[in-house]
């Protein structure tokens, strides 16, 4: 039994998902003639109460497209120092859009409206980059799967309105946030100008992300996607996996969250562990005591076929997911209890 908790991206399609993919109706999506892609896009636009949605191969490409839609070269996006767009998209903000990031020193990947206010460059001070966009991530990845306080997100919306800034949500794991907070997709659709969501994380698809927004902004999205090389042909085989996941894998996310909390409870009691970050969804981040060697600890686990990742500074991460079964969970807890 190999237990892979490095990420929720390691899942493989279930039999049911594969069947749905193999029997998908397809067409050329560059001509917008793929019925499965069109159905997925329509479903997400309706779910979030927005005009349009567009299918992408990756979340990075969906986020990068959003950055491009909201900004011109030389401008600046406000985001957290932990944000995926800053840390894990290969420097795409500068490469693709020619913009810089103003980083907020937030808490677990989250920040406040007053921190946003303080990060805006005065528009008439032409020495500084013009601030045009605020980006938030929910749940926060590097922040340990934390969920934002919706009231704070609303206060940030007000700041965006006052200063005429775009508001983009990186919702790669928004599904996990919705499962925990019981908020509705439409609440987010009302608040944000653009939202990206992923199907290849908790929902267990092999690939796929969607960018959602209103017509005025989204009309440029298909062109940017084409420029980035994301115009795909009979991609309905992949969109069908997304449709299947919405029907079958959304309601089970709370199981992943429950398992993550149970792992956290065991880790809390281990003497070699200094700290476990609060666990709200499917990500467990914990820190080893300073005297414990991180690579040695990782090796002890991998010798037992348990794979997790180190994040530097003695911090480690485990992520629960669809392919992490009850049997694996029981086995992992037994092994952890031996430390
Ligand atoms: C995974 C992830 C993405 C998208 O990543 P891709 O690998 O490009 O699909 C975007 N934002 C966050 C927070 C993520 O965790």
């Amino acid at each position: 039994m190999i237990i892979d908790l490095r990420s929720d991206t390691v899942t493989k399609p279930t039999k049911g998902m594969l069947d749905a993919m193999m029997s998908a109706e397809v067409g050329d999506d560059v001509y917008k003639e793929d019925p499965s892609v069109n159905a997925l896009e329509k479903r997400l636009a309706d779910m979030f109460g927005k005009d349009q949605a567009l299918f992408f191969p990756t979340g990075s490409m969906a986020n990068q497209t959003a950055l491009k839609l909201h900004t011109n070269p030389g401008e600046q996006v406000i985001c957290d120092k932990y944000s995926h767009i800053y840390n894990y998209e290969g420097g795409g903000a500068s490469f693709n859009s020619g913009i810089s990031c103003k980083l907020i020193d937030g808490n677990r990947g989250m920040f406040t409206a007053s921190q946003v206010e303080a990060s805006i460059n005065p528009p008439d001070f032409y020495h500084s980059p013009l601030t045009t966009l605020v980006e938030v991530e929910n749940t926060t990845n590097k922040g340990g799967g934390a969920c934002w306080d919706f009231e704070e997100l609303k206060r940030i919306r007000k700041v965006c309105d006052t200063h005429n800034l775009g508001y983009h949500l990186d919702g790669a794991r928004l599904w996990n946030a919705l499962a925990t907070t019981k908020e509705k997709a439409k609440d987010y659709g009302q608040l944000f100008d653009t939202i990206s969501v992923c199907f290849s994380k908790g929902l267990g698809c092999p690939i796929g992300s969607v960018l959602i927004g209103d017509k005025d902004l989204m009309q440029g999205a298909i062109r940017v996607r084409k420029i980035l090389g994301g115009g795909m042909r009979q991609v309905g085989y992949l969109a069908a996996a997304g449709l299947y996941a919405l029907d079958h894998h959304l309601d089970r996310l709370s199981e992943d969250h429950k398992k993550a909390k149970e792992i956290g409870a065991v880790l809390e009691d281990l003497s070699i562990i200094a700290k476990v970050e609060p666990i709200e969804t499917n990500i467990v981040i914990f820190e080893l005591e300073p005297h414990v060697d991180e690579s040695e600890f990782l090796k002890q686990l991998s010798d037992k076929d348990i794979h997790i990742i180190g994040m530097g500074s003695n911090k480690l991460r485990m992520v629960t997911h669809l392919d992490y079964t009850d049997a694996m969970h029981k086995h992992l807890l037994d092994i952890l209890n031996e430390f």
Side-chain angles (χ1 to χ4, degrees):
M1 177 154 49
I2 294 170
I3 300 179
D4 192 348
L5 295 176
R6 289 172 303 160
S7 174
D8 46 7
T9 55
V10 300
T11 56
K12 292 174 189 163
T14 60
K15 171 84 173 60
M17 182 178 280
L18 277 177
D19 288 346
M21 293 169 72
M22 294 311 284
S23 58
E25 261 191 81
V26 299
D28 189 334
D29 182 51
V30 171
Y31 295 126
K32 293 311 295 167
E33 286 171 4
D34 189 302
S36 301
V37 175
N38 292 342
L40 180 65
E41 291 175 347
K42 168 102 179 39
R43 184 153 168 191
L44 283 189
D46 291 348
M47 189 189 250
F48 283 85
K50 290 286 206 200
D51 295 339
Q52 287 181 14
L54 193 67
F55 189 65
F56 284 81
T58 66
S60 295
M61 197 190 282
N63 282 335
Q64 291 299 315
T65 297
L67 296 182
K68 186 70 194 161
L69 294 177
H70 284 286
T71 63
N72 292 303
E75 294 176 352
Q76 196 162 66
V77 55
I78 295 173
C79 58
D80 191 88
K81 67 178 191 296
Y82 278 0
S83 64
H84 196 276
I85 58 160
Y86 176 69
N87 290 286
Y88 303 124
E89 297 185 10
S94 56
F95 191 97
N96 298 313
S97 296
I99 58 172
S100 55
C101 299
K102 175 87 146 235
L103 300 181
I104 294 183
D105 185 13
N107 174 28
R108 303 179 68 217
M110 301 174 291
F111 44 81
T112 63
S114 51
Q115 283 179 301
V116 172
E117 189 98 50
S119 304
I120 299 170
N121 296 324
D124 51 357
F125 189 70
Y126 55 79
H127 307 272
S128 300
L130 184 67
T131 310
T132 43
L133 176 63
V134 176
E135 189 263 6
V136 305
E137 200 174 298
N138 200 16
T139 67
T140 65
N141 178 353
K142 206 171 152 72
C147 302
W148 279 76
D149 170 10
F150 197 75
E151 293 305 312
E152 199 61 50
L153 292 175
K154 282 203 231 167
R155 287 190 279 272
I156 295 173
R157 169 82 255 179
K158 279 220 184 91
V159 174
C160 291
D161 288 343
T162 306
H163 297 272
N164 199 21
L165 310 177
Y167 199 18
H168 173 66
L169 170 64
D170 176 353
R173 292 190 183 81
L174 184 62
W175 310 118
N176 298 86
L178 297 180
T180 296
T181 61
K182 312 290 178 211
E183 291 149 359
K184 296 280 169 277
K186 281 209 172 69
D187 302 335
Y188 282 83
Q190 272 192 350
L191 211 53
F192 288 90
D193 298 315
T194 48
I195 298 172
S196 65
V197 293
C198 279
F199 287 90
S200 58
K201 304 273 168 78
L203 292 190
C205 296
I207 177 172
S209 284
V210 171
L211 182 67
I212 306 145
D214 280 334
K215 228 177 9 221
D216 50 342
L217 267 169
M218 288 297 287
Q219 60 183 357
I222 197 163
R223 177 184 294 275
V224 176
R225 186 184 70 174
K226 182 75 181 165
I227 293 168
L228 295 176
M232 300 179 287
R233 304 295 178 175
Q234 286 71 27
V235 73
Y237 293 115
L238 302 174
L243 287 165
Y244 180 90
L246 290 175
D247 290 333
H248 297 93
H249 295 167
L250 207 47
D251 289 342
R252 59 155 304 285
L253 287 173
S254 53
E255 290 173 36
D256 297 343
H257 301 175
K258 180 165 171 282
K259 287 190 177 109
K261 287 198 175 83
E262 288 167 1
I263 293 171
V266 170
L267 293 173
E268 288 273 6
D269 286 343
L270 300 184
S271 60
I272 55 168
I273 286 166
K275 182 177 173 219
V276 182
E277 306 233 332
I279 298 164
E280 294 176 50
T281 54
N282 66 332
I283 301 180
V284 182
I285 293 180
F286 60 100
E287 198 177 324
L288 298 168
E289 287 288 357
H291 68 272
V292 183
D293 184 66
E294 175 181 322
S295 47
E296 182 54 33
F297 179 75
L298 285 172
K299 186 174 178 312
Q300 280 180 317
L301 286 179
S302 70
D303 285 347
K304 295 187 160 73
D305 282 331
I306 294 167
H307 304 285
I308 72 172
I309 57 168
M311 306 178 75
S313 13
N314 251 18
K315 271 192 185 178
L316 300 157
R317 188 182 85 163
M318 298 185 186
V319 189
T320 57
H321 52 73
L322 184 61
D323 286 358
Y324 176 61
T325 62
D326 291 346
M328 290 176 186
H329 186 52
K330 185 173 177 308
H331 184 62
L332 176 78
L333 296 185
D334 286 346
I335 288 185
L336 288 177
N337 272 318
E338 284 166 19
F339 273 96

